[in-house]
Amino acid sequence: MRYQDLSYWLSSLDAPLTPRPGLPGDTDADVVIVGAGYTGLWTAYYLAAADPSLRIVVLEKEIAGYGASGRNGGWCSALFPTSLPALARRHGRDRALAMQWAMHETVREVGRVVAAEGIDCDWRAGGTVVLARTEVQLGRARAAVAEAREHGLTDADLVLLDAAEAAARCHAEGVRGGTYTPHCAAVHPAKLVRGLATAVERRGVRVFERTPVTALRPGAAVTPAGVVRAPVVVRATEGFTPALPGQRRAVAPVYSLMVATAPLPEATWAEIGLAERETFSDYRHVIIYGQRTADGRLAFGGRGAPYHYGSRVRPDFDREPRVFAALRRVLGELFPVLGPEVPVTHTWGGPLGVARDWAASVGLDRSTGLAWAGGYVGDGVGTSNLAGRTLADLIRGERTDLTALPWVNHRSPRWEPEPLRWLAVNAGLKVMFSADEAEQKTNRPSRRAKAFSHLLGH
């Protein structure tokens, strides 16, 4: 396997992607972490920083950053899978707002660590602009700002933009307005995760790559090379979780795919905007997302790839020509300057984890020593940092503001057995696509899409 082929991000690293040595045999630790993506590495980082005497082992089936951490859209944002109004309904206004403020602080915290550890990951805190390109989408933008105000956020957190203000940030075709939040940074995700792996090793954490975990149980992580015995076992496997015994229905691995253009000339960027490297999206149902990379490419992605029966995850699922073609078409619709003559040089994808109630969670079962974090629904670059800090506090038995947040020890229901799971997820995708097409033609909101979104818990 050529790890460089997994994404543009991994292909553009200067350092070789040579795997670290695997686990040499049975070993003892204080904490064993399964998964060397953002969640596992942030957990190791904060544990080692808080208590350098801890013996921490990280086990990774491939290499650090093999999964979503090395393939995502590069948004370190304050987005959380569960909306602020939904959190308020479940946990009360004050706890919901505490969760959102914690996410705002998380963006700043990642920036702090990046600077402190000297991780060169093309960090640029330019915020996020979400465009409204129809009257229906503009209505959603207004509603998003109204909801933010009702729950205690101000213009400093989310502001409504008119057409000129939105176009000044991102000059997409037909912009009628939008919203802007400063709580996001564009990053090179693979540089971040690989730099983080080096940073934890400097703090004495042992990272073993090419070491698949075949079973988790209280007090142990089992691999073909040996067993790591530890009183605390952390599952940090996100979209790859269903491959673990007993976890098939814990999350649904849903694929998100991306394309990247060749580096664009400054004259083209003058027509597109994104001068501050703002990340961007719009208010359609089927999520799209993009960023201007540090080397002048436009990296652009979206949902829409099918969910695969039985929560299967395979390398060939990373590539769906139909979805890549659709992304390229949408990119040209958004920015006509990116016509067919502008080459797309990279295409890639990978799975993300979706809990049945669309609720990310972090927790520790003290009776078994089994800990977990995940279910980020694609918002994991920032949320994983908050998860790592929270797990570090939980594992060390500290009672802090982080351990009091409403996502701590939340237990999502399991997904339905097959074929219901396959039918539900793929039907949902189809409804959302149809709703976007209908709204584009009629400029009226889709009740069916709203109903199905509620059913999925989003």
Side-chain angles (χ1 to χ4, degrees):
M1 175 188 297
R2 275 177 45 89
Y3 294 117
Q4 293 89 339
D5 295 337
L6 290 171
S7 70
Y8 157 69
W9 310 114
L10 290 167
S11 74
S12 61
L13 295 174
D14 293 330
L17 294 173
T18 305
R20 294 170 170 83
L23 181 72
D26 292 350
T27 191
D28 293 326
D30 296 308
V31 180
V32 59
I33 299 168
V34 181
Y38 293 139
T39 300
L41 293 173
W42 280 126
T43 303
Y45 179 84
Y46 288 106
L47 279 171
D51 186 352
S53 70
L54 285 174
R55 298 170 300 166
I56 304 167
V57 168
V58 178
L59 303 175
E60 167 58 46
K61 182 179 180 181
E62 298 292 348
I63 61 168
Y66 170 83
S69 299
R71 312 190 207 183
N72 63 78
W75 291 34
C76 183
S77 77
L79 291 171
F80 191 71
T82 308
S83 69
L84 191 55
L87 281 171
R89 288 193 297 270
R90 296 176 190 176
H91 305 285
R93 183 179 183 276
D94 289 347
R95 296 190 74 202
L97 193 53
M99 188 77 222
Q100 189 61 68
W101 282 338
M103 289 300 304
H104 292 170
E105 178 57 33
T106 291
V107 179
R108 293 186 285 270
E109 170 64 9
V110 176
R112 183 194 69 78
V113 175
V114 163
E117 297 292 341
I119 300 174
D120 180 11
C121 63
D122 303 335
W123 179 270
R124 182 68 176 273
T128 298
V129 57
V130 183
L131 305 171
R133 299 177 60 243
T134 67
E135 284 302 312
V136 173
Q137 291 185 12
L138 188 56
R140 291 194 189 109
R142 293 180 180 126
V145 173
E147 286 181 348
R149 297 294 174 275
E150 290 172 7
H151 292 87
L153 302 182
T154 70
D155 275 356
D157 302 304
L158 185 71
V159 64
L160 186 68
L161 306 177
D162 62 24
E165 291 168 331
R169 290 192 176 274
C170 183
H171 196 185
E173 184 76 1
V175 170
R176 302 190 184 196
T179 58
Y180 174 77
T181 174
H183 300 300
C184 185
V187 300
H188 186 302
K191 289 182 179 179
L192 175 58
V193 69
R194 301 293 291 179
L196 190 55
T198 300
V200 302
E201 287 184 311
R202 285 198 299 263
R203 292 178 177 270
V205 174
R206 291 181 291 167
V207 180
F208 297 110
E209 296 181 332
R210 301 295 289 267
T211 303
V213 171
T214 56
L216 298 179
R217 60 175 185 249
V222 181
T223 84
V227 177
V228 181
R229 294 174 295 270
V232 176
V233 180
V234 180
R235 172 173 59 79
T237 46
E238 192 56 350
F240 296 86
T241 299
L244 293 168
Q247 300 294 328
R248 180 61 60 87
R249 292 164 57 193
V251 298
V254 174
Y255 277 74
S256 195
L257 273 57
M258 294 194 69
V259 301
T261 69
L264 304 172
E266 283 303 319
T268 300
W269 280 115
E271 293 192 47
I272 294 173
L274 306 177
E276 301 300 320
R277 286 189 59 211
E278 298 96 332
T279 58
F280 72 93
S281 182
D282 71 11
Y283 277 98
R284 71 184 69 199
H285 292 290
V286 180
I287 294 172
I288 60 168
Y289 52 91
Q291 70 145 291
R292 177 179 181 170
T293 67
D295 66 348
R297 301 171 189 267
L298 205 158
F300 184 71
R303 310 289 163 79
Y307 162 81
H308 298 279
Y309 193 91
S311 294
R312 290 175 298 161
V313 172
R314 295 206 319 240
D316 53 309
F317 296 161
D318 298 344
R319 299 188 176 276
E320 290 278 350
R322 173 185 57 81
V323 178
F324 291 140
L327 289 172
R328 183 64 184 87
R329 184 179 66 253
V330 172
L331 198 53
E333 291 170 357
L334 287 168
F335 307 108
V337 70
L338 299 180
E341 70 280 2
V342 176
V344 163
T345 58
H346 296 77
T347 58
W348 72 97
L352 52 90
V354 181
R356 180 61 183 84
D357 57 359
W358 242 257
S361 65
V362 57
L364 169 64
D365 184 339
R366 297 198 178 278
S367 67
T368 63
L370 297 176
W372 76 91
Y376 304 130
V377 198
D379 296 328
V381 181
T383 314
S384 59
N385 173 274
L386 181 59
R389 286 185 284 142
T390 305
L391 280 173
D393 287 348
L394 290 170
I395 291 167
R396 295 173 55 245
E398 300 288 333
R399 298 183 65 179
T400 66
D401 289 343
L402 297 186
T403 63
L405 291 173
W407 72 323
V408 174
N409 289 324
H410 171 78
R411 298 280 191 173
S412 296
R414 291 163 65 82
W415 278 94
E416 292 82 356
E418 299 290 19
L420 295 177
R421 185 159 74 252
W422 182 87
L423 290 168
V425 177
N426 285 318
L429 288 171
K430 186 175 181 179
V431 167
M432 297 304 178
F433 272 119
S434 298
D436 283 331
E437 291 177 2
E439 289 181 0
Q440 189 72 31
K441 292 176 181 177
T442 67
N443 202 25
R444 289 163 51 182
S446 168
R447 294 181 180 178
R448 189 181 179 200
K450 183 177 181 180
F452 207 98
S453 180
H454 177 73
L455 174 65
L456 290 177
H458 194 31

